[in-house]
Amino acid sequence: MERFTSKFYPQKWVQIAILIGFCIILYFLNLGRWDLWNPDEPRYAQVAREMVNRGDWILMHYNGKIYPDKPPLFFWLIAFSSFLWQGFSSFSVRFIPALFGTLTVLLTFLLGKDLYSSRAGFLSGLILATSFEFAYLSTRANIDTTLTFFTTASLFCFFRWYRRGQDEAASKVEVEAEVRVRDKNRNWFIYGFYIGMALATLAKGPVGFILPLLVGLVYLLIQKDWKVIREMRLLQGMVLFAGIILSWYLPALFRGGEDYLNATLFKHTINRYSEGWAKPRPIYYYLHNFPIDFLPWILFLPAAMAYGYSKEMIEKRKEFFFLILWFALILVFFSLSKGKRPVYLLPLYPAAALMVGKLWDDFISTPMDHFRHEWVSFPLYGFMGLTLLAGAAMPWAVSMKFPSYLPHSLPIAFLMVGGSLAIFVLYRLKNHGAILCMIIGIMAAGYFYTSRVIFPLVNSYKSARFISEEISSRILPNEKLSVYGRIGAAPYNYYTGIVPILDLNTTEELIHFLESPERVYCLIPFSDFYAFQNMERRPKVQLIARRMTGNLDVVLISNR
């Protein structure tokens, strides 16, 4: 295996073709087989659809009202995808995250090639592509893969610019004209750094420039590269950055006014970070959340970090330090935020994948016997043991809770049990390259089967489309629809086409709505409906439909 890979991997175009083909199969193939699921997918699709329907590309709207939560880039891209694929569908909405997930994998390859070697970059790309959370978000209509791509692109340009400066400083005296050409080429990368930050900011707000700028500046400060900091063209770069951002933000402020300024700058950025009114979590939240989301490669990340500071890596210490700083600063930044979600950490996944990729590259090709036994073998045995136990226990667990799905769980169980046994045999044969291919294959096959077989099976319990079809078949053009309690309007906007849907927050508003002289409809959680039925002097209602939608038991009621 090692002899084969040593001849095969150095062909850069082959590596890129394999990564693209791998991502096409894993992310794009049959991507529209299940509906858009709550909470984010229908809402983002609806914002993009209202943008297209209104022809308003500056101020976004959701449910007929201005939507200040996010900047417009992601919604522009979904709108473009809808034109490309001739309409809004599960595939066209998810096409953008799948595309940027693939591009991030390719960027990780290029960055690994610059940092270490072509093979390290190739393995890092495969590791990133098969990490649990990254693969999931690359097949889900979510902004964070787009943010991760532009953040990674910004840091990629920064490091290429920095590396070229180091190479030029170490080289011999050159002809003056040649030096000017090289300086000009190098400057393109530092401008790419600022453009990447601007596009990341247009994707998800200030975090888009805070993360890469923080990593770049702290890296140079710790290196004490004062001369390089002066060469960063901070003034020109920030002018370029501001020009890109303000080309949208100033027209949006002009039309949205002071309320829009307060919502975008304070409520959905500063207050969300400092006060945690959205998803408040303790400071240690990511310490137990990230290890699950980065499976299975989290098992090898401690070894990769220890290996980065081993004597074998002395010559590559600067490169490793850049990755560990990238990883640590983003982790600390979001840990200090009061509001936390697992998706927030996605921009650090390329750094983690590059560290693990370098470890596996050397594990396959170099004699690191002492380090291997202590740091790599134990997590490898842990992976084999966990995979074997999970595969063996899966049919029993499914038969107890979801007996009708037992036949569909067996392929995953066979994959996990058979894969763990195959890895054990390969480890005894010391075929480490085949072991890595087997782990990647298990993850890719398992995720592909889950998303393309299991997701469509549970779609009827997760999607709002089915109860929306009941609404569409009954409601007349002049009749009103409302949502009450924990139910959001977005999926019903998207699947019924009704805009606006009234959002009722109190019992008094619900009663007043149901006392309307004309026929009206309301979507309400079953628990709230049950409490409503037990109220005295309540208006009479008719239960029309009841269905599970995600984690909510939803009923459709009418006053006629």
Side-chain angles (χ1 to χ4, degrees), residues 49-63:
R49 177 188 274 172
E50 292 191 34
M51 177 187 290
V52 172
N53 291 343
R54 288 172 172 266
D56 188 346
W57 302 87
I58 300 299
L59 281 184
M60 291 153 294
H61 292 76
Y62 157 57
N63 196 26

Side-chain angles (χ1 to χ4, degrees), residues 421-437:
L421 295 176
I423 290 173
F424 178 77
V425 172
L426 291 170
Y427 186 73
R428 302 300 296 178
L429 296 173
K430 298 184 178 181
N431 199 335
H432 303 125
I435 291 173
L436 180 60
C437 291

